[in-house]
């Protein structure tokens, strides 16, 4: 009997001392399958018994999913390109510290921008810039000059040739929009965005709809995060990618979610993505992202002609402000949707009417009554519905930062969005009339 008790006690101790059974790590991300599958395969090989589950959602939907999932049932890891999205999650206390798995070899900053959150709530896993992808065959066939700056996509030559998505559908598009707004200022930035959108032929459902459309010749060009452009180029599509002078090099981050089911193994995945092996995966042609590890640590792995993020950061005109972007996150998304996404047909019509009038009038469009009418049409079409002062008003921003499940908050937002939508439609229709009046002179 004593021997049996001793054996049983030993067995119990052995079970208690054994490591916890490996489980599942769920990652919520907006990244494409080429990237996530490469990491899943490599991580599971390095960690037998742990299964990596990928939940693919655009960044905005991902934030909502984390918010709405009860603590204790949430995914382990949030992985996305947009630093302002992590600021939103951090503000809502939905992130847990992962500072203990940070790779000490990663530099503190890229340019003047911290690679890791100073508070340790999220870590830079790759670097990202924003620019223009264009199809070389398409622009040659349509005799359109290759774009170099955002302004190049505003030319009448580009009407109907641009592909674009919405910041509410894509965290990377939100970063592109914010980069332009911060680089040019609110009013001029919105003019650039509205003119570029007026030249677009479609607003795609997801961010990868733009590079896919450029790759296959549906669009001539479009704004994208750099890895979409670089991965297409290095996968031998007939495309090029260019960083405008108004760009920003910022970290694409990874974070541990507060209230996750499997925190310790979630940290293991974060650590893997920051390891030498995890960073080298970024350089695969179908992924083509910029590592956070210094290039000196990846000697022999960097493809010839690969962008140097430090050099791009040096010449960039934009010092990205994530706090500013986070403060107006939902305002920017809502304003874009009400003036572009849901009114694209009317915006296109107004844009075309202005171009047609300018082409018909020639020099006559520069003076007299025609010039006055066209100036009014341009303002109605390409000026933001709210000015920079309103967009910086804390009370106004607080409305959009509120909980939409609150009936009063939801009513306020719905009312504002309805007003913007109606005003956009009326403005675009009036602009068409004014442009046609000018053309008739």
């Amino acid at each position: 009997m004593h021997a049996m008790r001793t054996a049983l006690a030993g067995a119990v101790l052995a079970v208690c001392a054994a490591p916890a059974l490996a489980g599942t790590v769920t990652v919520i991300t907006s990244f494409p399958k080429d990237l996530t599958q490469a990491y899943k395969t490599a991580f599971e090989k390095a960690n037998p018994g742990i299964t990596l589950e990928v939940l693919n959602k655009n960044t905005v939907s991902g934030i909502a999913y984390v918010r709405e999932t009860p603590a204790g049932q949430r995914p382990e890891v949030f992985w996305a390109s947009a630093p302002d999205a992590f600021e939103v999650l951090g503000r809502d206390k939905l992130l847990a510290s992962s500072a203990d798995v940070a790779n000490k070899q990663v530099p503190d900053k890229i340019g003047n921008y911290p690679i890791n959150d100073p508070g340790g709530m999220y870590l830079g896993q790759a670097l990202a810039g924003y620019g223009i992808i264009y199809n070389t065959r398409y622009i040659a066939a349509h005799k359109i000059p290759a774009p170099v700056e955002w302004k190049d996509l505003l030319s009448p030559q580009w009407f109907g040739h641009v592909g674009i998505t919405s910041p509410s559908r894509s965290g990377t598009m939100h970063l592109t929009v914010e980069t332009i707004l911060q680089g040019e200022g609110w009013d001029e930035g919105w003019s650039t965005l509205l003119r570029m959108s007026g030249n677009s032929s479609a607003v795609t459902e997801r961010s990868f709809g733009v590079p896919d459309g450029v790759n296959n010749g549906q669009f001539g060009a479009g704004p994208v995060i750099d890895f979409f452009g670089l991965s297409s180029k290095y996968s031998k599509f007939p495309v090029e990618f260019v960083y405008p002078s108004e760009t920003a090099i910022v970290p694409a981050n990874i974070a541990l979610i507060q209230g996750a089911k499997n925190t310790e193994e979630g940290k293991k995945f974060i650590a893997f993505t920051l390891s030498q092996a995890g960073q080298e995966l970024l350089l695969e042609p179908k992924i083509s992202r910029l590592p956070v590890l210094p290039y000196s640590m990846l000697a022999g792995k960097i493809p010839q002609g690969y962008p140097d993020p430090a050099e791009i950061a040096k010449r960039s005109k934009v010092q990205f402000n994530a706090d500013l972007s986070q403060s107006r996150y939902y305002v920017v998304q809502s304003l874009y949707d009400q003036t572009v996404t849901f009114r694209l047909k009317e915006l296109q019509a107004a844009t075309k009417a202005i171009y047609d009038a300018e082409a018909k009038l020639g020099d006559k469009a520069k003076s007299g009554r025609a010039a006055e009418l066209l100036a009014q049409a341009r303002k109605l079409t390409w000026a933001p519905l709210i000015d920079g002062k309103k967009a910086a008003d804390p009370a106004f921003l607080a409305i959009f930062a509120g909980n939409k499940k609150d009936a009063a908050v939801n009513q306020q937002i719905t009312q504002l969005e309805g007003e913007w939508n109606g005003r956009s439609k009326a403005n675009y229709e009036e602009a068409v009339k004014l442009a046609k009046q000018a053309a008739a002179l």
Side-chain angles (χ1 to χ4, degrees), residues 335 338-340 343 346-347 350 379-387 390 396 415-431:
L335 189 59
Q338 301 307 323
T339 56
V340 177
R343 288 296 172 198
E346 291 87 353
L347 173 58
K379 185 174 181 180
L380 287 167
T381 306
W382 298 328
L385 293 181
I386 60 172
D387 60 22
K390 182 71 172 178
F396 175 71
Q415 182 177 346
L416 284 168
E417 289 178 336
E419 290 173 2
W420 292 344
N421 190 291
R423 283 174 59 196
S424 294
K425 182 176 185 292
N427 285 355
Y428 297 148
E429 289 175 348
E430 180 64 18

Side-chain angles (χ1 to χ4, degrees), residues 377-419:
R378 293 187 195 102
K379 185 174 181 180
L380 287 167
T381 306
W382 298 328
L385 293 181
I386 60 172
D387 60 22
K389 184 178 179 181
K390 182 71 172 178
D393 179 1
F396 175 71
L397 295 175
I399 296 171
F400 284 84
N403 185 352
K404 284 192 175 184
K405 290 185 177 180
D406 182 300
V409 171
N410 188 60
Q411 184 178 10
Q412 278 185 293
I413 294 173
T414 300
Q415 182 177 346
L416 284 168
E417 289 178 336
E419 290 173 2

Side-chain angles (χ1 to χ4, degrees), residues 290-306:
L290 309 180
V292 288
L293 280 182
Y295 278 13
S296 59
M297 293 188 65
L298 300 165
K301 302 288 185 180
I302 306 297
Q304 187 173 3
Y306 210 65

Side-chain angles (χ1 to χ4, degrees), residues 129-134 224-226 229-230 233 239-243:
Y130 300 84
I132 303 166
I133 184 176
Y134 63 92
V224 295
I225 189 171
D226 54 9
L230 296 172
K233 178 179 178 177
V239 303
E240 290 290 342
F241 174 81
V242 62
Y243 293 98

